[in-house]
Amino acid sequence: MTKTNWWCCCPATFLLAVFIIALGLPTTQVSSAIAQSSAEFDIVLANGRVMDPESNLDAIRNVGIREGKIAAISTRPLRGRTMIDAKGLVVAPGFIDLHSHGQDDENYRYKARDGVTTALEMELGVSPVAPWYAQRENKSLINFGATVGHIPAKMAVMKDTGTFLPRDNAMNRKATPDEIRQVTDLIKKGLDEGALGIGFGINYVPTTTRAEIFDLFALAAERGVANYVHIRDSGAVEPGSGVGALQEVLADAAGTGASLHVVHITSVCLRQTAICLSMIEGAARRGLDVTTEAYPYTATQTRLESAIYDEGWQEKFGITFKDLQWVATGERLTAETFARYRKEGGSVIGHSIPEDISRLAVGNPRVMVASDGLIENRQGHPRGAGSFARVLGVYVREQKALSLMDAIRKMTLLPAQRLEKVVPAMRSKGRVKVGSDADLTIFDPLTVIDRATFEQPALYSEGIRHVLVAGVFVVRDEKIVEGVKPGKGIRRTNH
Ligand SMILES: [Zn+2]
């Protein structure tokens, strides 16, 4: 907004007042109409510490929002119909979570209170794609989106009886050539419907051949989308190490030209995370489009009946029964309860990631923050509610493992850039910049912290003061705003 603009809105205000008076409206309505028309912006965030990871702006500014977009960033005072005093608070781009399994109202609330404005299901993905988007459109607190998933496609074609993850046919049996063709057709259909990429969890479908994965990477390359992959193995035991599994997908990316994003690097590479990060950095330096992410916790969570806990898990992960925690009750397992619960099926937490490994990945400026979160009926892993505030409170403020700007970049700009080549909507997210979407997270850097624990995972983060999605408050004064649904489906539009 320039000075010239400001002067030219005055006569308009005057004319509006004359017009309203001529209509004979009560004076209170007249003055409110005048106040509204003279406000330059819908919302002004005043005197906040604006941090933009793209321009590296880190300074006190006023931010004006109009029609869902950032319309001004200025040292000059701005006037809005809603004025928010952001003194002492950081004004950051809304956080983008590339790995968010919880895609319902319950989970979107935890996400919003953790500062997340866009939650994407990129690892497992979904199939079919179109109905998944339709179910959420105009009904969601925050933005949402998904890849088309190799696992859900394979479960449908092979008639697996598992719900969230495979538990029999897709896990134990090798797909026939005809089944592989059907899975590929479902993936192509999902891409035609705007899916954000292809999602893989090779570890959950271990009978999947390396040729099948290579062919699907070639499809991704042909369509220009990235592959989001939970790699084939985890841990250090050979054969079948995390390092070997990472080599498989790096080779497939090199051999096909496909882009690759390796999910939760710490939970697959464990004590070999440093070498895995070197492999990814080296591949990227030599021209491969490869990225990675981590959640800031020392434990994993998955289904106990899945292939992850097939024979040999203790040696692989360097843990035993007492390191496993049954989500439904919070109890630590024994050989007996392990056998019983594996038959029943359910979520289990595995305390297998050393703290120094977690710090190494969270502290690395190129490793994105992504939650892998899922809260179901207030149960789950605390990462579903606290990942982003935990990085800001524990790893930035308390441990000084990384700078605040680097942390914000890992939560906003890097995930936006991962997607923006094929998802134009992401070019206006992940930044505090004039013209960008007003998806903004306003937090107190001195108090921001996660509250969710392994015993009580369903606790909201603290210190995330306000959250806006497309210029609409979804969190205001640390409370969810009820009844608003500004979240939009994020899709590929140039397929
Ligand atoms: Zn995973």
Side-chain angles (χ1 to χ4, degrees):
M1 191 60 140
T2 64
K3 218 168 182 183
T4 328
N5 286 339
W6 157 237
W7 283 112
C8 60
C9 72
C10 275
T13 306
F14 176 73
L15 283 177
L16 178 65
V18 170
F19 179 67
I20 289 167
I21 289 162
L23 285 177
L25 292 176
T27 359
T28 46
Q29 282 188 28
V30 172
S31 58
S32 120
I34 291 171
Q36 287 196 7
S37 68
S38 63
E40 294 170 87
F41 301 100
D42 300 332
I43 300 169
V44 167
L45 309 169
N47 299 308
R49 178 181 171 192
V50 173
M51 296 187 71
D52 174 48
E54 190 178 45
S55 62
N56 282 313
L57 173 70
D58 179 358
I60 306 301
R61 292 285 187 273
N62 301 300
V63 177
I65 295 162
R66 197 190 293 127
E67 288 169 7
K69 299 273 183 190
I70 298 172
I73 301 168
S74 176
T75 51
R76 204 171 56 79
L78 304 176
R79 292 181 312 125
R81 280 202 296 276
T82 299
M83 296 292 298
I84 297 292
D85 178 11
K87 193 161 185 279
L89 305 177
V90 169
V91 177
F95 305 155
I96 298 164
D97 188 351
L98 289 185
H99 196 153
S100 201
H101 295 303
Q103 293 284 343
D104 55 20
D105 290 344
E106 181 186 14
N107 282 276
Y108 293 157
R109 294 168 77 93
Y110 291 109
K111 291 280 126 195
R113 288 288 308 271
D114 203 28
V116 174
T117 52
T118 300
L120 307 174
E121 161 61 279
M122 304 299 277
E123 180 207 43
L124 293 177
V126 301
S127 178
V129 169
W132 185 90
Y133 275 94
Q135 272 166 19
R136 289 161 181 81
E137 209 64 72
N138 303 316
K139 292 178 199 149
S140 301
L141 190 65
I142 59 173
N143 303 315
F144 56 89
T147 55
V148 55
H150 175 244
I151 284 183
K154 200 158 187 174
M155 286 172 74
V157 168
M158 297 181 76
K159 303 188 171 37
D160 193 282
T161 67
T163 46
F164 183 54
L165 288 167
R167 69 177 303 158
D168 41 48
N169 292 340
M171 177 168 112
N172 302 326
R173 187 163 70 69
K174 228 177 120 194
T176 65
D178 185 55
E179 284 170 333
I180 292 173
R181 248 191 316 275
Q182 291 180 51
V183 169
T184 307
D185 285 346
L186 285 177
I187 291 173
K188 286 180 179 168
K189 182 164 185 287
L191 292 174
D192 290 342
E193 291 170 351
L196 299 173
I198 307 179
F200 294 90
I202 311 173
N203 212 174
Y204 294 107
V205 281
T207 48
T208 301
T209 66
R210 288 162 204 272
E212 190 180 336
I213 299 295
F214 181 85
D215 287 345
L216 289 171
F217 269 49
L219 171 65
E222 189 190 304
R223 298 294 193 98
V225 299
N227 300 295
Y228 295 78
V229 189
H230 177 153
I231 57 179
R232 185 180 294 277
D233 299 299
S234 47
V237 177
E238 298 286 10
S241 70
V243 168
L246 181 56
Q247 285 173 339
E248 176 189 3
V249 287
L250 287 173
D252 288 349
T256 61
S259 299
L260 167 67
H261 180 82
V262 181
V263 303
H264 49 48
I265 193 72
T266 53
S267 74
V268 282
C269 288
L270 299 172
R271 288 178 174 80
Q272 291 180 304
T273 294
I275 187 170
C276 287
L277 288 174
S278 301
M279 290 163 68
I280 289 171
E281 280 166 8
R285 265 203 309 279
R286 286 161 187 80
L288 285 196
D289 179 15
V290 52
T291 52
T292 190
E293 56 163 66
Y295 51 79
Y297 290 89
T298 55
T300 62
Q301 183 193 345
T302 194
R303 304 283 298 186
L304 187 58
E305 71 274 23
S306 74
I308 302 281
Y309 285 102
D310 282 355
E311 190 129 358
W313 62 270
Q314 288 161 286
E315 297 71 34
K316 261 178 192 282
F317 308 146
I319 56 172
T320 185
F321 299 106
K322 68 170 174 32
D323 301 307
L324 299 183
Q325 195 171 5
W326 191 237
V327 165
T329 59
E331 73 190 278
R332 297 294 181 128
L333 298 191
T334 62
E336 293 73 50
T337 51
F338 177 93
R340 173 147 51 89
Y341 289 144
R342 188 159 152 90
K343 230 170 268 162
E344 276 175 28
S347 287
V348 70
I349 285 165
H351 294 270
S352 58
I353 306 169
E355 170 59 29
D356 58 320
I357 296 300
S358 177
R359 194 181 313 124
L360 176 78
V362 174
N364 184 314
R366 62 184 301 143
V367 178
M368 298 175 208
V369 178
S371 74
D372 195 6
L374 174 65
I375 303 280
E376 289 174 293
N377 301 317
R378 302 182 57 79
Q379 291 181 335
H381 187 297
R383 66 194 180 196
S387 287
F388 292 81
R390 183 172 176 77
V391 169
L392 297 170
V394 174
Y395 289 96
V396 175
R397 186 178 62 239
E398 293 172 11
Q399 297 194 9
K400 300 186 172 42
L402 73 168
S403 75
L404 184 54
M405 186 65 95
D406 276 344
I408 290 172
R409 182 176 292 108
K410 286 153 56 86
M411 299 172 177
T412 60
L413 185 65
L414 295 187
Q417 288 175 331
R418 170 73 280 178
L419 279 158
E420 68 191 20
K421 268 183 249 153
V422 291
V423 186
M426 297 308 285
R427 290 173 203 155
S428 51
K429 299 193 186 297
R431 289 106 168 149
V432 187
K433 170 166 127 180
V434 172
S436 286
D437 295 339
D439 292 357
L440 294 164
T441 294
I442 298 109
F443 63 92
D444 184 342
L446 302 179
T447 63
V448 62
I449 197 76
D450 59 309
R451 285 286 170 229
T453 63
F454 289 102
E455 288 66 40
Q456 283 190 284
L459 293 178
Y460 289 127
S461 294
E462 286 182 2
I464 305 281
R465 194 69 62 79
H466 312 291
V467 179
L468 290 147
V469 173
V472 175
F473 282 97
V474 297
V475 173
R476 191 161 178 185
D477 295 318
E478 299 211 21
K479 287 192 187 69
I480 295 279
V481 178
E482 301 296 340
V484 296
K485 308 285 175 197
K488 292 187 190 74
I490 309 291
R491 291 177 177 80
R492 254 166 61 256
T493 46
N494 55 348
H495 46 276

